[in-house]
Amino acid sequence: MKPDIGVVVAYGHILKPELLSLPPRGMVNVHPSLLPGLRGAAPVEWAIIRGHESTGITIMQLDAGMDSGPILHQIPHHIDADVTGGELSAHLAEVGAQALIETLSMMEQSDPPPQPVPQNDARATLAPKLTRETARVDWTKDAREIGYLIRGLDPRPGAWTELSGVEIKLFSPKVMDPPFPGTGAPGENPVRRWLSRDRDRSVQGPGRRHRRDLRGTARR
């Protein structure tokens, strides 16, 4: 096999040097963030969890590091206020496919072809693999932060909490501003009525539902 170029999408592992050097024009990767921001396994989810207003797609050449190769093409994307991790991932997959086609076309037809731009490692941020503890809701946090977490992990793996020893997954939060009367104090686990409250806003749940998955509506 003698490929001219290699394409890697959602592989999740660092390629060995002998494989990277196989195609004479290198390996091209589609990454769902604007690198060097959010390098790692879960850039879509962390963009929402951290409350970012924008993200995007990066087409880059792979090197021996983790998402650290030089950039060939980028397309920014605004993150809507109510978007979930699943919805954003699906949209970026479509944008990424188009960006990949554009990049390969420019590499083949442009004279000169696009020149890879090295990443600024000093501006790099990480998007590590999601863990069970990442998904656990911390009720002492700001209601807006809790809303970000629930949306970012919707539908998978799903943010979760416990009620009377039973694990409950949470979806579609509603951040209320100002908080409604009767909400609990910060740090209280109030899944039956209200999911969180802070000084200026609260996250509302869907009320009394004897189910392990709770789903309401999502809006600011």
Side-chain angles (χ1 to χ4, degrees), residues 13-210:
H13 300 279
I14 295 176
L15 299 182
K16 295 180 178 180
E18 54 267 30
L19 186 57
L20 288 173
S21 61
L22 184 62
R25 303 183 70 174
M27 291 279 192
V28 174
N29 177 246
V30 182
H31 186 79
S33 81
L34 295 178
L35 292 170
L38 299 175
R39 294 176 177 174
V44 175
E45 293 86 350
W46 282 109
I48 297 177
I49 292 171
R50 291 173 181 162
H52 292 186
E53 295 183 355
S54 63
T55 184
I57 287 291
T58 298
I59 309 297
M60 66 171 182
Q61 285 189 335
L62 286 176
D63 62 10
M66 181 184 68
D67 302 324
S68 57
I71 294 169
L72 291 165
H73 188 31
Q74 288 187 313
I75 298 180
H77 175 72
H78 174 73
I79 300 177
D80 293 336
D82 296 334
V83 73
T84 67
E87 292 166 343
L88 182 58
S89 181
H91 179 74
L92 290 179
E94 295 180 2
V95 176
Q98 184 60 42
L100 176 61
I101 292 172
E102 292 175 359
T103 303
L104 294 175
S105 177
M106 288 188 293
M107 293 177 70
E108 180 65 24
Q109 301 176 12
S110 298
D111 187 18
Q115 296 302 305
V117 178
Q119 294 187 37
N120 183 350
D121 292 337
R123 299 182 61 187
T125 59
L126 300 180
K129 183 178 179 180
L130 299 170
T131 66
R132 176 173 169 79
E133 194 57 33
T134 302
R136 184 169 188 165
V137 176
D138 179 355
W139 297 107
T140 66
K141 290 189 175 181
D142 177 280
R144 185 158 44 186
E145 291 182 64
I146 295 174
Y148 292 153
L149 177 72
I150 296 172
R151 285 194 298 106
L153 302 182
D154 182 350
R156 290 182 298 275
W160 66 279
T161 189
E162 286 187 357
L163 181 65
S164 301
V166 177
E167 181 180 321
I168 298 174
K169 288 204 171 184
L170 308 174
F171 304 95
S172 304
K174 181 192 294 183
V175 179
M176 310 299 293
D177 189 7
F180 277 42
T183 57
E188 182 181 348
N189 186 337
V191 173
R192 290 195 184 277
R193 293 188 303 163
W194 301 90
L195 300 188
S196 174
R197 182 188 175 216
D198 61 37
R199 184 180 229 172
D200 302 315
R201 55 186 65 82
S202 60
V203 179
Q204 182 185 6
R208 291 178 171 271
R209 300 182 92 179
H210 300 285

